[in-house]
Amino acid sequence: MLQKEYRICMPLTVEEYKIGQLYMISKHSHEQSSDGEGVEVVINEPFEHPVYGQGQYTEKRLHLNRKLPTWIRGFVPKIFYIIEKAWNYYPYTITEYTCSFLPKFQIRIETKFENNNGCNENVFSENSTPPEDICQLDIAFDEIPQAYYKKTEDLTLFHSKKTGRGPLLEGWRKLSQPIMCSYKLVTVKFEVYGFQTKVENFTHKNIKDILLAGHRQAVAWMDEWYGMSLEDVRRFETLLQEETNNKVNSQKTPADKEDSTLAVSGGRHSINRSTSWNSGSDAHDVPDASNSREPRSRTRLPSAPE
């Protein structure tokens, strides 16, 4: 098991990002989906927890075979997909990932959002995360893979017409107002002898890149979602969810489509919401908050190319 804490600051308030996060996830899922591959939404419904209150439960299938590195594709079947289960009790969320092909591969992400610049050393527990396991990510100046870079999402160039925020300059995390931080405690498990260290480190490297790209987009798309109400963004989410599912299902065989429909049976969700992180729990519980060849290196670009 390899655990790291990521801290990602944004020039937003926690309340603003409640809308921005929903918009970004929906649009990003839609962009990443193509015929037969992408993000398929299986369940998206309100959910209530006795401690965290009202929230939203979502379950998705991430069909990503063509997006895998070539060194992995050789032994991963084309029917492979990742299951994402998320409990959103904003400003606290839990997200879990399991793999249809590799049952010993699991990711758990516990997230808390706070109105500060990442200075809270005890956000997840009384015992702070060891300094060597804390990754401060800079959405403006950290390097990202070339495939993720878009000039329109370069926050050293972006200026919001609606809010007047940006572009972000060196030292912005100390000077910007407003500012918030997304604290993410990420645990990766792949308990397979001989592969554990390589796979867990490789996974964290990719998670870091995805977190950078996603939070950059949330800010760069600010003028698209700023001013939307929760009802507005939920309608947007529903619309894109339907379009995204159509994209993913367009190339499925009849047998594949029948398998997808098993997620909902007789008007009740038949998927058990307990996972290996939450084994033995009731189907309506959420996880406890207390709780070959080398891959080729990818060309990376600085966030603000000279």
Side-chain angles (χ1 to χ4, degrees), residues 205-216:
K205 180 177 182 295
N206 280 273
I207 287 173
K208 178 181 176 181
D209 292 338
I210 291 169
L211 291 177
L212 272 173
H215 288 76
R216 283 163 64 101

Side-chain angles (χ1 to χ4, degrees), residues 37 62 87 89 97 108 136 140 182 204:
E37 291 221 348
L62 283 61
W87 294 262
Y89 303 99
Y97 298 90
R108 183 180 194 269
Q136 295 271 6
S182 173
H204 268 285

Side-chain angles (χ1 to χ4, degrees), residues 192-303:
V192 176
Y193 180 76
F195 291 90
Q196 181 170 2
T197 300
K198 178 188 290 186
V199 171
E200 289 178 353
N201 279 299
F202 175 78
T203 302
H204 268 285
K205 180 177 182 295
N206 280 273
I207 287 173
K208 178 181 176 181
D209 292 338
I210 291 169
L211 291 177
L212 272 173
H215 288 76
R216 283 163 64 101
Q217 288 176 333
V219 176
W221 296 341
M222 185 189 306
D223 286 349
E224 299 177 27
W225 58 259
Y226 192 85
M228 294 177 75
S229 66
L230 185 59
E231 292 73 19
D232 292 335
V233 78
R234 286 297 183 196
R235 284 194 293 269
F236 176 82
E237 181 182 51
T238 300
L239 175 63
L240 262 63
Q241 174 182 316
E242 293 174 355
E243 294 181 3
T244 300
N245 282 1
N246 287 337
K247 281 186 178 183
V248 175
N249 288 321
S250 63
Q251 297 295 316
K252 283 188 176 181
T253 65
D256 292 333
K257 292 181 180 180
E258 182 179 354
D259 180 59
S260 295
T261 62
L262 293 178
V264 180
S265 176
R268 296 180 61 188
H269 302 296
S270 60
I271 293 179
N272 191 331
R273 294 180 195 170
S274 62
T275 69
S276 59
W277 303 95
N278 188 30
S279 57
S281 65
D282 183 86
H284 294 286
D285 287 342
V286 299
D288 189 346
S290 62
N291 194 13
S292 152
R293 290 161 55 191
E294 292 289 339
R296 292 180 297 176
S297 61
R298 295 175 294 174
T299 303
R300 302 176 73 86
L301 287 179
S303 295

Side-chain angles (χ1 to χ4, degrees), residues 90-127:
Y90 197 88
Y92 172 71
T93 67
I94 298 172
T95 309
E96 294 181 353
Y97 298 90
T98 53
C99 181
S100 62
F101 177 64
L102 300 170
K104 292 184 179 292
F105 178 70
Q106 303 156 348
I107 303 172
R108 183 180 194 269
I109 303 177
E110 185 178 357
T111 305
K112 291 187 177 181
F113 305 104
E114 294 188 351
N115 285 313
N116 57 52
N117 65 351
C119 58
N120 188 343
E121 301 298 333
N122 304 295
V123 68
F124 291 107
S125 65
E126 294 180 358
N127 299 319

Side-chain angles (χ1 to χ4, degrees), residues 43-153:
I43 300 173
N44 186 5
E45 64 182 14
F47 193 75
E48 185 171 2
H49 187 268
V51 175
Y52 306 117
Q54 288 289 340
Q56 193 82 4
Y57 173 77
T58 58
E59 186 162 329
K60 302 175 183 178
R61 289 184 180 184
L62 283 61
H63 303 266
L64 304 171
N65 191 276
R66 283 183 293 180
K67 299 181 185 297
L68 294 173
T70 53
W71 67 279
I72 292 181
R73 282 186 224 167
F75 60 86
V76 173
K78 291 184 179 181
I79 59 172
F80 147 87
Y81 58 86
I82 292 174
I83 298 171
E84 176 193 281
K85 296 183 179 183
W87 294 262
N88 188 344
Y89 303 99
Y90 197 88
Y92 172 71
T93 67
I94 298 172
T95 309
E96 294 181 353
Y97 298 90
T98 53
C99 181
S100 62
F101 177 64
L102 300 170
K104 292 184 179 292
F105 178 70
Q106 303 156 348
I107 303 172
R108 183 180 194 269
I109 303 177
E110 185 178 357
T111 305
K112 291 187 177 181
F113 305 104
E114 294 188 351
N115 285 313
N116 57 52
N117 65 351
C119 58
N120 188 343
E121 301 298 333
N122 304 295
V123 68
F124 291 107
S125 65
E126 294 180 358
N127 299 319
S128 59
T129 302
E132 63 271 20
D133 294 328
I134 296 175
C135 301
Q136 295 271 6
L137 304 185
D138 189 328
I139 58 175
F141 291 95
D142 279 0
E143 292 184 344
I144 61 171
Q146 183 176 9
Y148 289 158
Y149 180 82
K150 293 181 181 179
K151 187 174 182 180
T152 56
E153 296 170 7

